[in-house]
């Protein structure tokens, strides 16, 4: 969702800035595609590096916990007892839980990672994160450019079609984000549309001012 929103924001900003700067449709396509590829790659790499760093952090913490279990088993066993005692277990039940968990090294490690450090190895998948980001960015970012590929030649009409298509995409992505996060789809859709609209207005204004300055 976020990759898609960023893709539309980035590309439609180029479209709006080009419209404000009175550029021709072919220039919009060239700038839009170049920006789409470069920014999509940049976002994918950034997401990969960030997710990989998170993954390495989890791996390092797991190695540290493994070392502590190996060299200070009683201390780590005590921590398991404290964790489950705070959950309300006591007596023989608590003893049994501690015995079961600490009898399996992997289960012991998983429990310490989840309960003490609140870390999960499955939450960090850098290649998938990068690929999903690039695909979402590219597909959604291409939508504002489609009217310029199939337009009638009238720039104003093409720009209006791009605006409508971009607005619909912003709103749809916002609704999807709201559903995923358990928020109001309507409010989320309007917020995303507002953010995209604000970016477009700024880009259009910048293009218009630059056109006025350099065309004078």
């Amino acid at each position: 969702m976020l990759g898609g929103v960023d893709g539309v924001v980035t590309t439609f900003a180029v479209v709006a800035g080009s419209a404000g700067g009175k550029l021709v449709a072919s220039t919009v396509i060239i700038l839009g595609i170049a920006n789409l590829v470069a920014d999509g790659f940049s976002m994918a790499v950034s997401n990969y590096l960030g997710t990989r760093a998170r993954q390495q952090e989890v791996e390092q913490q797991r190695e540290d916990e493994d070392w502590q279990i190996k060299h200070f088993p009683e201390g780590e066993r005590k921590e398991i007892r404290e964790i489950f005692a705070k959950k309300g277990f006591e007596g023989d039940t608590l003893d049994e839980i501690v015995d079961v968990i600490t009898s399996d090294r992997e289960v012991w490690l998983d429990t310490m990672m989840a309960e003490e450090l609140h870390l999960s190895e499955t939450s960090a998948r850098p290649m998938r994160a990068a690929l999903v980001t690039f695909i979402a960015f590219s597909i959604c970012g291409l939508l504002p450019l489609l009217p310029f590929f199939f337009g009638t030649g009238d720039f104003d009409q093409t720009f209006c079609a791009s605006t409508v298509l971009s607005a619909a995409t912003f709103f749809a992505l916002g609704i999807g984000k709201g559903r995923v996060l358990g928020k109001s789809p309507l409010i989320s859709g309007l917020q995303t549309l507002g953010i995209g609209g604000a970016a477009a207005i700024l880009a259009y204004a910048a293009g218009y001012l630059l056109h006025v300055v350099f065309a004078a």
Side-chain angles (χ1 to χ4, degrees):
M1 294 295 176
L2 295 178
V5 171
D6 285 340
V8 185
V9 169
T10 297
T11 309
F12 190 59
V14 171
V15 172
S18 300
K22 309 298 181 184
L23 303 181
V24 297
S26 59
T27 303
V28 175
I29 293 174
I30 293 171
L31 293 177
I33 293 296
N35 199 60
L36 184 65
V37 173
D39 278 6
F41 177 76
S42 176
M43 281 199 62
V45 170
S46 296
N47 203 347
Y48 173 84
L49 293 176
T51 308
R52 178 56 182 153
R54 174 65 172 173
Q55 185 182 53
Q56 290 173 330
E57 178 190 2
V58 172
E59 291 171 353
Q60 182 60 54
Q61 290 290 348
R62 189 176 182 86
E63 289 177 5
D64 290 344
E65 283 298 324
D66 190 38
W67 185 88
Q68 291 180 47
I69 289 174
K70 180 179 180 180
H71 293 86
F72 305 104
E74 289 307 315
E76 294 299 297
R77 184 183 176 88
K78 182 179 179 182
E79 288 185 7
I80 290 291
R81 175 176 292 277
E82 292 174 349
I83 288 170
F84 286 91
K86 289 179 180 179
K87 295 178 182 291
F89 296 100
E90 57 185 18
D92 293 339
T93 302
L94 179 58
D95 291 337
E96 184 178 356
I97 289 174
V98 174
D99 289 339
V100 170
I101 291 175
T102 57
S103 65
D104 187 314
R105 193 181 190 83
E106 289 302 312
V107 173
W108 194 349
L109 272 171
D110 290 341
T111 303
M112 295 300 291
M113 292 290 290
E115 298 292 341
E116 182 186 32
L117 302 176
H118 306 291
L119 294 175
S120 171
E121 290 184 296
T122 59
S123 66
R125 296 177 182 176
M127 285 302 298
R128 187 181 70 172
L131 183 61
V132 169
T133 297
F134 184 77
I135 291 174
F137 188 97
S138 299
I139 292 176
C140 296
L142 184 62
L143 296 178
L145 297 175
L146 291 181
F148 290 92
F149 284 103
F150 306 104
T152 60
D154 186 307
F155 189 93
D156 290 338
Q157 288 183 355
T158 306
F159 177 57
C160 286
S162 177
T163 301
V164 171
L165 185 57
S166 299
T169 306
F170 278 130
F171 190 65
L173 288 171
I175 289 176
K177 184 180 69 173
R179 291 185 183 280
V180 170
L181 298 178
K183 306 294 183 181
S184 168
L186 178 59
I187 293 177
S188 180
L190 291 175
Q191 286 176 338
T192 305
L193 178 59
I195 292 171
I201 291 172
L202 291 173
Y204 184 92
Y208 179 79
L209 291 174
L210 289 171
H211 173 73
V212 170
V213 171
F214 289 105

